[in-house]
Amino acid sequence: MGHSADGDSAATDFLSFADIAVDTTAERLPGIDRSAMQMVLLLHRVASSIVYDLESTVHRPAGWSWSAFRLLFTLWVAGPRESRQVAHLSGMSRAAVSSLTKTLSASGLLARRSDERDRRAAILSLTARGADALETTFRAHNEREARWASLISEDELATLNGVLTKLARAAQGQEWISRRA
């Protein structure tokens, strides 16, 4: 018999629900790939938990959303870029980048100018204030990342990073994977 998914168990929370979901699904749909389901559920749930933690403890106190941090960090790493490239590199929609550009420009963190080669395109860049704010906030962000990483051993962390890198590289060459355009 499977786990109770009704929330009565004190051990059932957002992260542990993945185990219950895999067991229940396998009971109801024999033949599913349990390992693949567990990988995707756990990756999603752990990533969501980390993002929520970072956003609530670092980014919101800095006055940003997770998306604003992603946009600013992308520009900090990649340098000035056309807004479509920023959307692609940050994994956000062009509409989200456009909306955030207005907000971040108004707050003096981001500059927007027309592309000389294509007046319809916008080149985005960090202002000096934006770069300073990103660097300050990233230090707090990285301290929180280190706390998450400390939950496992150094060897486990190296293994996890290796496996995730392998998965990311393997996925890049797969035509069947849907991606943002």
Side-chain angles (χ1 to χ4, degrees):
M1 187 137 136
H3 299 281
S4 172
D6 61 11
D8 287 344
S9 170
T12 302
D13 64 11
F14 180 73
L15 290 172
S16 65
F17 184 75
D19 292 333
I20 296 166
V22 171
D23 289 346
T24 301
T25 303
E27 286 175 10
R28 294 180 184 169
L29 299 171
I32 65 152
D33 187 332
R34 290 176 60 102
S35 294
M37 180 183 177
Q38 186 175 30
M39 176 193 76
V40 171
L41 272 173
L42 288 173
L43 276 172
H44 172 72
R45 286 175 177 267
V46 170
S48 292
S49 294
I50 292 170
V51 166
Y52 178 82
D53 180 62
L54 288 167
E55 187 171 39
S56 64
T57 62
V58 176
H59 304 297
R60 289 280 178 211
W64 305 341
S65 64
W66 175 253
S67 296
F69 171 77
R70 286 169 43 203
L71 191 153
L72 294 171
F73 183 75
T74 299
L75 289 170
W76 184 74
V77 170
R81 290 281 185 264
E82 198 273 324
S83 59
R84 274 181 284 179
Q85 292 174 318
V86 174
H88 176 73
L89 292 173
S90 66
M92 298 184 337
S93 69
R94 288 169 33 191
V97 168
S98 177
S99 177
L100 279 170
T101 296
K102 292 173 188 165
T103 302
L104 295 170
S105 293
S107 63
L109 302 174
L110 188 76
R112 180 187 187 282
R113 65 176 169 79
S114 294
D115 187 342
E116 294 172 5
R117 293 169 290 154
D118 180 357
R119 291 284 182 203
R120 296 169 297 168
I123 303 295
L124 306 180
S125 61
L126 290 182
T127 62
R129 181 175 166 210
D132 289 344
L134 185 280
E135 290 170 11
T136 298
T137 302
F138 186 79
R139 290 186 189 286
H141 175 101
N142 187 245
E143 287 172 12
R144 201 70 181 189
E145 289 174 324
R147 289 189 74 184
W148 275 92
S150 74
L151 297 174
I152 58 179
S153 73
E154 287 185 29
D155 286 345
E156 289 168 329
L157 180 59
T159 299
L160 177 61
N161 285 337
V163 169
L164 290 174
T165 298
K166 183 176 182 177
L167 182 62
R169 287 182 179 152
Q172 287 176 346
Q174 301 302 312
E175 292 180 18
W176 56 267
I177 295 175
S178 296
R179 295 174 178 81
R180 286 194 191 274

